[in-house]
Amino acid sequence: MAATPHPELHALVQSFEDAFNAHDPVALGEHFAVDSLWTNVTGKRMRGREAVIATGREVMPKLAGSYARYRVVDVLEIRPDVVAVHVAQSPVSADGLPADAPHASAVYVFARGADGWEIAVGQNTIAAA
C-alpha cells in the first residue's frame, strides 16, 4: 500500500485497537463523532457516540478475553477532510499471539472537524474464511 497522505489516521486506528484491547467502552466511543453512524460486527446499528459507548458497556464484559490487531489495508481520500480507511482485524491472545477466532474487516469514514479526526461512519463485518 502506498503511504497515506494522512499518517495520523494510522495512529487513530492504533488508538482504536488499544481501546478495544483495554476493553474500554468510553475510550472506544471517543473515536466517534457525536452524531456518527456505526454498525458493529453483530449487525447492531448505533447512532451517535453515546450509543456506541452504551453498547460498549454491554458488550465489553462479554469480550474480556478477546483481543485483536488492527492493520490499515487501504485508504481512500474522498476529500481532504473526509477519508475512508479499510482495516483488517486479526484475533490475538492477550500476549499478542495469533488466536483461533474469526477475523473481521472494518471500514471507517473519518471526518476532520474542529476537534480533529473522528469516525463519522463505520461498519465492521466478520471476514470470510
Side-chain angles (χ1 to χ4, degrees):
M1 184 183 85
T4 172
H6 301 288
E8 66 271 34
L9 295 178
H10 287 269
L12 281 170
V13 170
Q14 180 63 56
S15 175
F16 196 72
E17 173 190 313
D18 293 344
F20 176 82
N21 288 334
H23 306 100
D24 185 340
V26 174
L28 204 66
E30 288 173 348
H31 290 83
F32 290 84
V34 170
D35 193 25
S36 56
L37 296 174
W38 172 246
T39 303
N40 70 12
V41 75
T42 66
K44 180 170 180 159
R45 294 180 309 226
M46 291 155 267
R47 176 81 184 234
R49 179 185 296 152
E50 291 306 317
V52 173
I53 292 170
T55 297
R57 285 187 171 129
E58 290 174 27
V59 173
M60 283 299 176
K62 299 172 189 169
L63 298 175
S66 297
Y67 301 89
R69 290 293 168 253
Y70 292 19
R71 181 175 55 89
V72 173
V73 294
D74 204 359
V75 176
L76 173 65
E77 184 175 296
I78 298 165
R79 46 182 226 227
D81 60 339
V82 179
V83 178
V85 179
H86 183 197
V87 175
Q89 300 167 332
S90 302
V92 296
S93 68
D95 297 328
L97 300 173
D100 185 26
H103 290 244
S105 179
V107 174
Y108 307 121
V109 177
F110 286 95
R112 184 171 36 205
D115 295 328
W117 291 100
E118 298 176 307
I119 299 171
V121 178
Q123 167 82 40
N124 197 7
T125 305
I126 295 291

